[in-house]
Amino acid sequence: MDERNNNLIFDNISPKKIFSGNNKSILFLDQGGIIESRKINVALQKGKNKFFVIFFILLSSFFFITLTLFKLSVTSDKINISKSSLEVARGKIVDRNDKIISASIPTLDLYIDGRKIINKKKTIESLKKIFIKKKDNFFTDIIKNKKYKLVSKHLSETEENEVRKLGEPGLVFHDSSRRIYPQDNLFSNVTGFISKFGVAQSKLEKFYDKELNKGLDIKLTLDLKIQNIIYQQLTESENYFSSKGSLGLLIDVTNGEIISMVSKPDYNPNHPITIKPYSENNLITEARFEMGSILKIYNAAMALENNSTAENKLFDVSRDYELTKTYIVKDSTKFLEPINFEKIFTHSSNIGSIKVYDTFGKKTQKNFFKKIGLNGHTRIKGLSTIDNNLPSDEQWNEVISRSISFGYGLSITPLSLVTTFSSLVNGGYKIEPKIIDNLEIDKERIISRQTSQKISHLLKKVVEEGTGKHAKVKNLGIGGKTGTAKKFNKIGGYYEDKVITSFLGVFPINKPKYLLLVLFDEPIKGLNSLTPYGSNTAAPIFAKIVNQIAPILNLKKE
Amino acid sequence: MNIMREIKNWWWSIDKWILFSSILLLLFGLMLTLSGSSKIEYKYDYPTGYLFNKQIIFVVVSLLVILISSMLSVKNLIFFSISTFFIFIILSFLPIFQEEIKGASRWIKFFNFSIQPSEFLKPTFIIMSALLLSRYKKKADNSFFLNFLLFSLLGFVLFLQPDFGMFVLFFLTWFVQLILVGLPFKFMSLIILFGSSIFIISFLTHEHIRFRILNYFNSDIGDNYQVNKAIESFSNGGFFGTGLGGGFFSKSLPDVHSDFIFALAGEELGFVFLCFIIFLYIILFYRVVSSMVNEKNLFVFLSASSLILILIFQCLINISSALNLIPTKGMTLPFLSYGGSSLLSCSLIIGFLLALTKKN
């Protein structure tokens, strides 16, 4: 055959006219059919070549599929988590007394399989009555168009019973589980929340997602009752002071356990859809403040720790202090006669603080901050934290140092403040803050015992005769320091009318055990006064709180 | 004696690789049905083993179909295909007037069985189209026009049912057939225009097609429940799988016994087994390709190559949608999925292939 094709011999070639459609074509045929067979042979050979190409293309897609399969089945490991999440109930989060803060309960989700609905009209009518909130044509749409669709997640008991009564095979229940927070808003900024689709979104739920999914419980150092008291007090006073936000933080200064952590604004983690982004911030760990007067105590500690002469000197604070050409430091209470070391702090004198600073200088200040750990980043396991904002080495000049001495020029997180302050009053030991209940305390002394005792004494005096009078609690020794700081504005100066007011208190002051920080962000007025200060906002609220929580903390009143 | 010799002849002339690969696949399918059907039986309150017993019958019938159809001569094969094609295209119109199953009317009731007539159009249409195309090359008459008419009729039936997946499969195979035969460029561009317009019309008129496609490209909307579960099945299976009956994720798929049987195989028998299955399909493909090297007959070449291609396309589409490489498409996996019509149709394809690749 091939040979014949190569040496064509044509017999009786005859043209043949063919009409196909509008196209006219002429075909030549010969008697032996050689032209024809040659034409087909060419087509066949070309077709075969194309077929081989297709074969290799499809072979490579098989190869690609095998590769994808390999990636999925051999190298992926995510499956262990999601499998366990289906089989084991997610672990609980409990407080220090094993009261439930967050737990998962099994629920049912309802789906409609539009294809399997038997009595369409009746089903639509009944479902409309059960799920009143759904749009008018929601069910009609699913059933008429034969869709498979989610109707409602986490059915209530009545809903489930009503749906079961209908007995439609097209109404399908899926097992599901729901995270519930029995305390609603109370712990929202500590626990974080879980999205509608079961994904942990923030804070402890996210940080311990793996452990919780394995069914492990997480025990916190927080105390539900105390958390509740502080929360109630802050909520009430926020209304009164019209503040933008507020926080309360109670820590055990001897071991760093945080007993209460309230940050407002907050949200209800039971309803993830309603959460606004601004309320998701935990002000204690994720916000920085210029703390103002509270930081003067650090100034005092520096003086005491370095045996400076300040303790026994008298200071003249009668004239305003010119820090820079444009910045004049003033005091709210004027003293015409020279005052002693103690009085500077009990009456929170800015000028006095600068004078005390001048007795030891910049280097000591910097070293002190480094030693107590204020310069870095105070971390706490389970929550995200941010850096403290201290001036850089180039920026840190005498002017900055002087303003730091009365509390401006560095912004720190409340967590950092409370942690470092604890060392000042607990006898001088470094502590690590924690909210997860576990043992392990190693005591490292960073401040001398004497300094610590003197600071406690100073704090006691502030409450007894100074700016902290409103923080007094009957029959319980309190020490503390008020803070009122103007807020920094973006242009580079300070707002005149926007302030942060705070009170940091330690009790019982004779043998310090607990430290509570109360802070209000932008209060508009104070108690019985139109100008908010730490002394007339945070201090009285501090007293109210301590009054209520003292019995819970087993503090014997004197 | 005569029959003995016939069988002996048949045995020596057929391609044993194709035969045994297909039988192996059939048996694997039966094995997977045993596991996959348990969930479905439980769900629909069937007695235990109901689907499995049915599938055993299908497998036996399939083996007979392979045996008989592979004995056909090319001439009888053509005759058989033409008559079967017309019977089943008429039957395909019937379900449209019947009650719908799973959002489409593709099945007709036949005693205790439901038959999907469009499955049987697969091999028969390919044979007819190959016949017309090989004639077109020879005579350049109206045979191409006739072919186009037949395809349009087929497309119309599938559009009414609607069975978009099957249409894609047919179109793809037919299109490749046209490429193989070397149709002039202007015809090809017309065909492409035709195909894409059908696609756009389907996209606009059928909501579930639109949903599936949009859902694939935008995973935020709607539920990717099936695909997610399928993917989880593969990762749970790992190298050697959890063992037959040990499927967890794949069992929660609604169509585990048919469309998602590959995910079940992946979870219960593992990656190695999946590779073996893919290897078997490649053997089928390779045997056909290699036997085409010396083929002299255009008709035999066109029909054999398209028959194996439709099978391979079906595999690729099924597996790719289980792996979320393409939008989900309700399509069975040849030989492995549960379902009589699909099994018989695949057996018919293999039978035809055996008949066409017979050695003299």
Side-chain angles (χ1 to χ4, degrees):
Chain A
M1 187 78 175
D2 283 340
E3 233 171 87
R4 248 173 74 193
N5 280 342
N6 290 339
N7 315 296
L8 285 174
I9 305 158
F10 301 111
D11 310 323
N12 296 328
I13 298 174
S14 61
K16 191 185 175 193
K17 236 182 194 174
I18 284 169
F19 299 92
S20 97
N22 292 330
N23 292 333
K24 283 180 196 167
S25 59
I26 296 170
L27 205 69
F28 289 98
L29 293 176
D30 63 322
Q31 219 155 43
I34 301 169
I35 295 179
E36 197 184 289
S37 68
R38 186 181 159 82
K39 222 170 121 184
I40 286 169
N41 270 339
V42 170
L44 189 60
Q45 199 49 52
K46 274 188 184 165
K48 276 180 194 171
N49 291 342
K50 287 175 200 161
F51 186 48
F52 298 144
V53 171
I54 290 168
F55 172 69
F56 283 110
I57 292 171
L58 295 184
L59 210 58
S60 50
S61 35
F62 270 121
F63 180 73
F64 177 71
I65 281 174
T66 315
L67 215 67
T68 317
L69 269 174
F70 181 78
K71 259 200 318 215
L72 271 179
S73 46
V74 182
T75 55
S76 83
D77 57 355
K78 61 182 179 204
I79 204 64
N80 294 329
I81 300 161
S82 57
K83 189 180 181 186
S84 57
S85 74
L86 281 166
E87 285 175 346
V88 190
R90 189 176 168 92
K92 296 189 283 287
I93 299 180
V94 294
D95 87 334
R96 64 188 302 135
N97 300 316
D98 292 320
K99 296 269 187 309
I100 289 175
I101 292 174
S102 157
S104 290
I105 50 164
T107 59
L108 289 177
D109 296 345
L110 177 67
Y111 286 76
I112 296 188
D113 188 345
R115 299 164 193 156
K116 289 189 203 145
I117 297 289
I118 298 165
N119 191 338
K120 295 180 182 172
K121 221 172 180 183
K122 194 188 148 214
T123 311
I124 294 172
E125 285 304 312
S126 320
L127 286 177
K128 264 188 193 168
K129 273 178 204 155
I130 302 170
F131 302 99
I132 301 165
K133 280 183 183 168
K134 294 282 175 194
K135 278 184 198 146
D136 275 351
N137 55 359
F138 178 80
F139 295 108
T140 328
D141 192 45
I142 298 177
I143 291 170
K144 286 253 166 75
N145 293 323
K146 309 201 173 349
K147 287 182 198 162
Y148 192 93
K149 212 169 175 184
L150 173 71
V151 177
S152 174
K153 283 187 94 73
H154 315 311
L155 295 185
S156 70
E157 208 176 322
T158 25
E159 282 171 343
E160 188 199 329
N161 288 337
E162 289 296 318
V163 173
R164 286 209 194 275
K165 269 187 212 162
L166 297 179
E168 277 283 348
L171 299 173
V172 188
F173 294 99
H174 282 220
D175 288 335
S176 169
S177 97
R178 179 180 187 174
R179 197 71 171 163
I180 51 156
Y181 301 85
Q183 312 302 333
D184 286 342
N185 294 28
L186 199 53
F187 291 94
S188 59
N189 277 321
V190 179
T191 57
F193 67 101
I194 288 191
S195 78
K196 196 178 155 190
F197 301 103
V199 183
Q201 295 293 319
S202 62
K203 309 278 163 28
L204 289 178
E205 294 276 19
K206 190 172 180 187
F207 190 86
Y208 286 107
D209 197 29
K210 244 184 177 168
E211 286 81 356
L212 287 166
N213 271 337
K214 282 181 191 154
L216 298 174
D217 291 347
I218 305 252
K219 187 168 179 169
L220 305 183
T221 59
L222 303 181
D223 186 310
L224 174 64
K225 283 173 281 178
I226 294 174
Q227 179 89 352
N228 196 26
I229 289 166
I230 297 181
Y231 183 84
Q232 294 304 336
Q233 286 297 343
L234 289 181
T235 312
E236 269 174 43
S237 40
E238 265 208 326
N239 287 335
Y240 187 84
F241 302 138
S242 313
S243 65
K244 212 171 85 177
S246 61
L247 63 90
L249 180 60
L250 179 66
I251 190 170
D252 184 333
V253 295
T254 60
N255 57 16
E257 284 181 6
I258 290 176
I259 295 159
S260 172
M261 185 187 259
V262 181
S263 162
K264 286 164 75 65
D266 53 15
Y267 56 87
N268 188 342
N270 285 318
H271 305 293
I273 309 165
T274 59
I275 296 169
K276 306 258 182 341
Y278 66 84
S279 65
E280 262 194 85
N281 227 5
N282 185 337
L283 297 180
I284 290 158
T285 57
E286 295 166 334
R288 279 190 291 263
F289 298 97
E290 276 188 296
M291 288 298 173
S293 310
I294 289 177
L295 286 185
K296 286 174 188 159
I297 298 299
Y298 289 81
N299 205 34
M302 284 170 219
L304 297 171
E305 192 70 354
N306 289 285
N307 301 317
S308 90
T309 51
E311 215 182 333
N312 310 313
K313 259 169 83 177
L314 287 176
F315 297 92
D316 172 24
V317 295
S318 56
R319 264 172 294 153
D320 290 349
Y321 188 91
E322 192 183 296
L323 191 61
T324 63
K325 288 249 164 68
T326 53
Y327 191 11
I328 314 291
V329 180
K330 290 176 188 167
D331 277 339
S332 50
T333 324
K334 285 237 171 195
F335 294 97
L336 295 173
E337 290 130 38
I339 55 172
N340 66 5
F341 183 76
E342 200 174 283
K343 213 160 185 183
I344 288 175
F345 296 100
T346 52
H347 289 84
S348 202
S349 163
N350 296 336
I351 302 162
S353 291
I354 296 172
K355 298 265 161 93
V356 170
Y357 160 78
D358 285 337
T359 63
F360 51 83
K362 190 173 91 174
K363 207 174 165 197
T364 309
Q365 188 185 46
K366 266 174 126 171
N367 286 340
F368 184 80
F369 283 146
K370 204 170 172 186
K371 192 165 70 176
I372 60 169
L374 200 67
N375 61 333
H377 187 144
T378 309
R379 291 171 204 279
I380 182 165
K381 209 170 177 216
L383 296 175
S384 57
T385 47
I386 59 168
D387 270 324
N388 289 332
N389 196 358
L390 268 63
S392 65
D393 282 343
E394 299 88 64
Q395 289 170 336
W396 203 325
N397 53 28
E398 282 296 324
V399 173
I400 295 270
S401 273
R402 288 201 175 98
S403 44
I404 286 173
S405 76
F406 61 93
Y408 287 89
L410 79 174
S411 50
I412 58 176
T413 60
L415 180 72
S416 204
L417 172 73
V418 164
T419 308
T420 51
F421 207 101
S422 295
S423 304
L424 298 187
V425 294
N426 68 0
Y429 297 103
K430 190 171 188 147
I431 58 156
E432 267 192 39
K434 58 184 180 192
I435 49 169
I436 307 295
D437 196 19
N438 56 356
L439 300 165
E440 57 156 293
I441 314 160
D442 48 3
K443 288 197 165 181
E444 182 200 344
R445 180 179 289 283
I446 49 171
I447 286 168
S448 74
R449 198 182 165 80
Q450 290 81 351
T451 306
S452 178
Q453 278 169 352
K454 281 175 188 168
I455 293 289
S456 298
H457 177 74
L458 203 59
L459 293 172
K460 193 176 168 186
K461 286 283 175 199
V462 173
V463 175
E464 273 173 7
E465 16 188 282
T467 50
K469 276 180 204 150
H470 289 293
K472 271 185 200 159
V473 175
K474 217 177 181 184
N475 298 332
L476 184 66
I478 303 283
K481 181 75 191 78
T482 54
T484 313
K486 283 174 184 161
K487 270 183 120 173
F488 195 73
N489 65 22
K490 281 178 185 129
I491 316 155
Y494 287 92
Y495 289 111
E496 275 306 314
D497 52 345
K498 288 188 180 171
V499 290
I500 292 159
T501 63
S502 53
F503 185 82
L504 187 154
V506 182
F507 57 93
I509 192 64
N510 297 333
K511 193 173 184 293
K513 169 82 170 154
Y514 299 107
L515 186 155
L516 172 63
L517 171 72
V518 176
L519 184 148
F520 291 97
D521 188 5
E522 291 184 28
I524 289 173
K525 57 176 182 174
L527 207 62
N528 307 323
S529 156
L530 283 177
T531 334
Y533 291 107
S535 56
N536 62 14
T537 54
I541 302 305
F542 170 89
K544 271 191 182 176
I545 291 172
V546 172
N547 213 356
Q548 286 185 41
I549 65 174
I552 301 171
L553 293 170
N554 268 334
L555 294 176
K556 280 185 194 124
K557 295 203 171 179
E558 290 145 8
Chain B
M1 274 314 278
N2 208 6
I3 292 172
M4 278 308 285
R5 217 175 58 215
E6 280 276 312
I7 290 177
K8 220 173 170 181
N9 266 341
W10 172 83
W11 176 249
W12 287 116
S13 63
I14 59 149
D15 189 323
K16 280 159 210 79
W17 283 97
I18 295 181
L19 182 68
F20 285 116
S21 301
S22 317
I23 291 174
L24 213 53
L25 283 169
L26 270 172
L27 294 179
F28 283 152
L30 201 58
M31 185 168 83
L32 289 170
T33 306
L34 187 60
S35 167
S37 61
S38 61
K39 177 75 199 259
I40 310 293
E41 282 160 4
Y42 172 75
K43 195 172 160 193
Y44 292 100
D45 265 347
Y46 290 137
T48 311
Y50 175 75
L51 295 179
F52 182 66
N53 293 340
K54 255 176 143 181
Q55 188 74 351
I56 289 181
I57 300 173
F58 292 142
V59 168
V60 171
V61 175
S62 296
L63 288 172
L64 284 175
V65 166
I66 292 180
L67 186 74
I68 294 168
S69 55
S70 64
M71 283 177 168
L72 294 172
S73 67
V74 175
K75 205 169 157 190
N76 288 338
L77 194 144
I78 292 171
F79 177 72
F80 174 78
S81 294
I82 294 174
S83 42
T84 316
F85 179 80
F86 283 108
I87 291 169
F88 277 96
I89 203 134
I90 292 163
L91 285 177
S92 298
F93 278 101
L94 289 180
I96 294 163
F97 307 106
Q98 286 187 351
E99 213 180 313
E100 298 183 5
I101 307 178
K102 294 187 196 168
S105 18
R106 298 170 196 166
W107 288 268
I108 51 171
K109 282 265 179 201
F110 185 73
F111 295 112
N112 206 8
F113 301 96
S114 311
I115 296 175
Q116 188 184 351
S118 53
E119 282 281 354
F120 295 94
L121 296 177
K122 274 196 261 182
T124 51
F125 172 75
I126 284 169
I127 297 291
M128 286 188 59
S129 168
L131 182 69
L132 288 167
L133 284 175
S134 57
R135 236 187 90 80
Y136 160 79
K137 254 317 184 216
K138 264 185 203 164
K139 304 268 158 56
D141 55 10
N142 283 335
S143 58
F144 172 70
F145 181 67
L146 202 62
N147 195 349
F148 185 77
L149 218 60
L150 274 178
F151 183 78
S152 308
L153 182 69
L154 188 73
F156 180 63
V157 173
L158 295 175
F159 187 78
L160 281 182
Q161 289 185 349
D163 193 345
F164 188 65
M166 187 77 91
F167 176 79
V168 169
L169 190 62
F170 269 112
F171 183 76
L172 212 59
T173 317
W174 189 59
F175 189 70
V176 172
Q177 215 174 28
L178 298 182
I179 290 176
L180 289 180
V181 87
L183 214 60
F185 180 72
K186 65 176 178 190
F187 279 142
M188 290 312 273
S189 43
L190 272 176
I191 299 290
I192 291 171
L193 203 70
F194 171 73
S196 43
S197 58
I198 294 275
F199 176 80
I200 289 163
I201 291 168
S202 313
F203 185 81
L204 293 177
T205 54
H206 289 101
E207 200 190 345
H208 81 275
I209 293 170
R210 191 162 58 227
F211 176 75
R212 287 250 177 100
I213 291 168
L214 290 178
N215 205 10
Y216 174 76
F217 288 108
N218 185 355
S219 52
D220 298 340
I221 60 160
D223 62 313
N224 276 322
Y225 179 80
Q226 296 202 5
V227 169
N228 290 342
K229 281 280 169 287
I231 285 176
E232 283 177 326
S233 307
F234 291 116
S235 11
N236 192 29
F239 239 102
F240 298 107
T242 56
L244 199 62
F248 178 78
F249 292 103
S250 51
K251 289 280 171 65
S252 52
L253 286 162
D255 283 326
V256 61
H257 63 316
S258 58
D259 296 356
F260 281 99
I261 196 87
F262 198 66
L264 181 84
E267 186 172 20
E268 300 197 341
L269 300 169
F271 173 71
V272 176
F273 182 75
L274 293 185
C275 287
F276 186 58
I277 288 178
I278 290 176
F279 183 63
L280 287 178
Y281 286 125
I282 291 176
I283 286 183
L284 289 180
F285 198 7
Y286 174 74
R287 290 304 298 176
V288 176
V289 171
S290 67
S291 72
M292 283 303 113
V293 172
N294 291 320
E295 184 55 55
K296 297 249 162 48
N297 188 323
L298 184 62
F299 163 72
V300 172
F301 165 71
L302 280 179
S303 34
S305 53
S306 327
L307 281 172
I308 191 66
L309 280 176
I310 202 168
L311 207 70
I312 294 300
F313 283 144
Q314 205 178 333
C315 288
L316 285 173
I317 292 174
N318 179 289
I319 296 174
S320 307
S321 56
L323 289 170
N324 199 23
L325 298 171
I326 58 167
T328 37
K329 206 44 251 124
M331 194 172 285
T332 54
L333 188 60
F335 295 116
L336 295 188
S337 291
Y338 172 84
S341 304
S342 154
L343 214 55
L344 291 179
S345 143
C346 292
S347 308
L348 212 55
I349 290 176
I350 292 298
F352 283 1
L353 278 172
L354 287 173
L356 290 167
T357 57
K358 238 183 258 179
K359 296 188 290 268
N360 291 324

